[in-house]
Amino acid sequence: MIDFHNHLLAGVDDGASTLEQSRDAVRDMHQHGVRTVVVTPHLLGSLTERPEALAETLDFIDQAFDGFSRMVAEELPDVRIHRGVELMLDSPAVDLTDPRLRLAGTNFVLVEFPGMTVPPHSVQALYQLRVRGWWPIVAHPERYHNLDDLDLLEEWRSVGALLQCNAGSFVGRFGSKAEASAWELLARGWVDYLSSDYHARGRLPIEPCRAAFADAGGRDQFEQLTAANPGRMLEGEEPLPVPPLARRRSLWQRLRRGRA
Ligand SMILES: [Fe+2]
């Protein structure tokens, strides 16, 4: 498995605070089958308009990445690591020239909109990235508070944006609305990737998510979303379409939800 959305670098954002937490988190991932990790600390896109501030922030992340690299090389030598960021699109003029802003130096970039709110210009913002040669991968689209009509995501996709859902969303870690949206996107065949967005705290969501996919008859989709398509991304290739998968709930789950 490949995880390309997580907050495992120590002391750079709201994820791991210490190298010990980073180590525990990456060990946990390793136990769950992850062999490639792209770390993605939060970064404001508007920083790219202030070269000195950007350089300072990236230097700070470089140092955290060096410590993380050494720790992983010593403790888990079969885990490959790369760097990226989760870039907040808080500016229309984001400059992605520095390869450290992209996922493992590819043309793919992990992006999110501010405040977990889809702005009015979302399609245009994604289009602008695409026409400049970048592939925007929108992080956790299922989590946006104001996204009541998922049809908007078809417009994102039509301008070349790709979608990454969080593993925890499929098992209710982000509430029932995000859970329903994640499954609906999967049923429409619109999800391109699945990652943990793990903040090095609490239970890693990979195993429950894998089980939920298996219950729905979606082992192949899980593999494609967590291994094949992220592997293509690291090679600079577009993802392959993921066959739509409808959710199946057990009788017990339906009874609990009062829908049986
Ligand atoms: Fe994140």
Side-chain angles (χ1 to χ4, degrees), residues 190-210:
W190 290 0
V191 186
D192 299 294
Y193 310 101
L194 204 154
S195 269
S196 69
D197 196 7
Y198 193 43
H199 281 63
R201 284 186 302 277
R203 211 173 139 222
L204 187 65
I206 291 174
E207 213 46 56
C209 180
R210 195 200 310 263

Side-chain angles (χ1 to χ4, degrees), residues 5-7 40 42 86 112 140 197 199:
H5 182 178
N6 56 73
H7 301 271
T40 52
H42 289 289
E86 182 178 13
E112 66 173 343
H140 42 60
D197 196 7
H199 281 63

Side-chain angles (χ1 to χ4, degrees), residues 239-254:
L240 295 175
V242 176
L245 177 67
R247 182 182 207 178
R248 266 184 247 143
R249 285 202 182 98
S250 68
L251 178 62
W252 168 241
Q253 287 171 323
R254 281 180 281 146

Side-chain angles (χ1 to χ4, degrees), residues 24 32 45 76 78 128-129 138 148-149 175 178 232-233 247:
D24 291 347
H32 285 81
L76 299 161
D78 59 336
Q128 284 303 324
L129 290 175
V138 182
D148 295 319
D149 183 359
R232 291 177 62 86
M233 182 270 287
R247 182 182 207 178

Side-chain angles (χ1 to χ4, degrees), residues 3-7 40 42 86 110-112 116 137-144 163-175 178-183 185-186 191-199 204-206 208-210 212-213 222 225-226:
D3 194 277
F4 70 83
H5 182 178
N6 56 73
H7 301 271
T40 52
H42 289 289
E86 182 178 13
L110 185 67
V111 299
E112 66 173 343
M116 219 53 102
I137 300 177
V138 182
H140 42 60
E142 73 279 7
R143 291 195 60 201
Y144 284 99
L163 304 182
Q164 174 260 309
C165 284
N166 282 3
S169 295
F170 291 93
V171 289
R173 295 278 178 93
F174 302 101
E179 183 181 358
S181 295
W183 283 101
L185 292 174
L186 195 63
V191 186
D192 299 294
Y193 310 101
L194 204 154
S195 269
S196 69
D197 196 7
Y198 193 43
H199 281 63
L204 187 65
I206 291 174
C209 180
R210 195 200 310 263
F213 270 65
F222 188 83
L225 292 164
T226 60

Side-chain angles (χ1 to χ4, degrees), residues 19-172:
L19 197 57
E20 287 68 38
Q21 283 185 351
S22 298
R23 185 188 59 213
D24 291 347
V26 75
R27 273 185 185 156
D28 209 2
M29 283 193 175
H30 182 263
Q31 280 184 354
H32 285 81
V34 176
R35 292 294 179 271
T36 301
V37 174
V38 186
V39 291
T40 52
H42 289 289
L43 194 105
L44 295 177
S46 56
L47 258 191
T48 66
E49 297 164 49
R50 297 159 49 208
E52 282 183 19
L54 178 68
E56 203 174 302
T57 301
L58 288 176
D59 284 350
F60 187 59
I61 295 174
D62 285 348
Q63 289 172 25
F65 187 75
D66 287 347
F68 183 76
S69 299
R70 281 195 296 274
M71 179 271 289
V72 173
E74 281 172 21
E75 307 236 352
L76 299 161
D78 59 336
V79 173
R80 293 180 62 198
I81 60 168
H82 302 280
R83 57 180 296 176
V85 299
E86 182 178 13
L87 193 79
M88 185 162 287
L89 294 180
D90 63 339
S91 156
V94 175
D95 177 0
L96 292 171
T97 310
D98 192 314
R100 292 173 292 180
L101 299 172
R102 308 184 316 251
L103 293 167
T106 65
N107 283 354
F108 293 80
V109 58
L110 185 67
V111 299
E112 66 173 343
F113 294 110
M116 219 53 102
T117 304
V118 177
H121 61 272
S122 64
V123 178
Q124 186 64 15
L126 296 169
Y127 176 71
Q128 284 303 324
L129 290 175
R130 190 67 202 100
V131 293
R132 278 180 269 154
W134 315 119
W135 287 101
I137 300 177
V138 182
H140 42 60
E142 73 279 7
R143 291 195 60 201
Y144 284 99
H145 303 307
N146 62 337
L147 192 64
D148 295 319
D149 183 359
L150 293 179
D151 288 350
L152 175 64
L153 273 53
E154 193 169 25
E155 292 184 53
W156 292 3
R157 288 166 53 80
S158 74
V159 296
L162 302 162
L163 304 182
Q164 174 260 309
C165 284
N166 282 3
S169 295
F170 291 93
V171 289

